[in-house]
Amino acid sequence: MKLKALFLAATLAAGTMVLPAAHAADIQTRLIRFGYGLNQDSNQGRAVQVFADEVAKLSGGKMKIRAVGAAALGSDVQMQQALIGGAQEMMVGSTATLVGITPEMALWDTPFLFNSGEEADQVLDGKTGQAIMHKLEDKGLVGLVYWENGFRNLTNSQKPVTSVEDFSGLKLRVMQNNVFLDTFQRLGANAVPLPFSELFTALETKTVDGQENPYNTILSSKFYEVQKYLSITNHVYSPWIVTASKKWWDGLSADERDVLLKAAAVSRDFERKDTRQEADKALAQLKADGMQINTVSPEAVQKMRETIAPVNAQIEKAVGSDLWNAVQDQLKEIRKQ
Ligand code: TF8
């Protein structure tokens, strides 16, 4: 009896010692619905494909991403609700559309906050950016990584916008949060919040005169077909964020989460590079497609900044001075280098 027990203990010990090396990853066969708002042929669509390929590779083909673009699963806001409820697993969308859920996301809508994409990378991937991302978890969402949407520029069907005065009388679609609404109202525009999925039709039917988005999106969503003027304002950088349903995420194994996090990091690095490369070429393409493009003088940009300065105080109030100052301090550090 004693010997037998000893033998059993020895076998068990040997077994446990061998286990970690022979341990097959704890990965189930899973179908993951991943929604996004832009066309498949866009920087967003390309990066979703990179994510899908990487997930398949890292999971030995067991985890399969079913990517659905062009808002076929709904607008950003509708998909967020589906994630929170557990009816959809993953998505990528604008942080601006998350402000109603996690007010701290409003930080990224601060006009003229970043001077370059690289500055944005450092802040978003740094302590404050990650802290804000993790706040989503209290609301039923898990943030994985930030992607670049890009610096936003103004388009419209009426006139070149070269000064603050030119905003007056323009009916502009804005993203669905108070920061964007307030910013464009202060500039004198008639701001209309609309989901991105309704934007092309709204422009085509002249329900609105204009909108603002990065060059990449103006191109991939074919806004040049319904917008004559493009004014280079670079007024804000608000990113995209890849999120998962927390309800679903909580049921995944550590290995499965690891696959998704690793693939998300690969997609992020690809996406930022791809987006920056495309942005450089997109402006020339938009010109070739017939858009009339104008720059805005530094003086006019300064006037814009002054006109919308009160928005900053409101954002600081909404996100709290600690987060606001942390980003300002980090930017000062970055700019010293
Ligand atoms: C916008 C954003 C869009 C996103 C996207 C559909 O204008 O810039 O890129 O919402 O996820 O709404």
Side-chain angles (χ1 to χ4, degrees), residues 37-38 44 76 92-94 97 149 152 173 175 196 199 212-214 217 240:
L38 298 196
Q44 202 176 47
D76 282 10
V92 61
S94 172
T97 56
N149 187 351
R152 302 176 79 86
R173 173 269 179 177
M175 288 198 280
F196 185 84
L199 182 50
E212 38 89 52
N213 254 298
T217 299
W240 283 328

Side-chain angles (χ1 to χ4, degrees), residues 17-39:
M17 274 166 68
V18 171
L19 245 182
H23 163 78
D26 181 8
I27 296 176
Q28 311 277 317
T29 302
R30 293 192 184 266
L31 184 63
I32 303 162
R33 284 159 296 186
F34 189 121
Y36 61 97
L38 298 196
N39 295 322

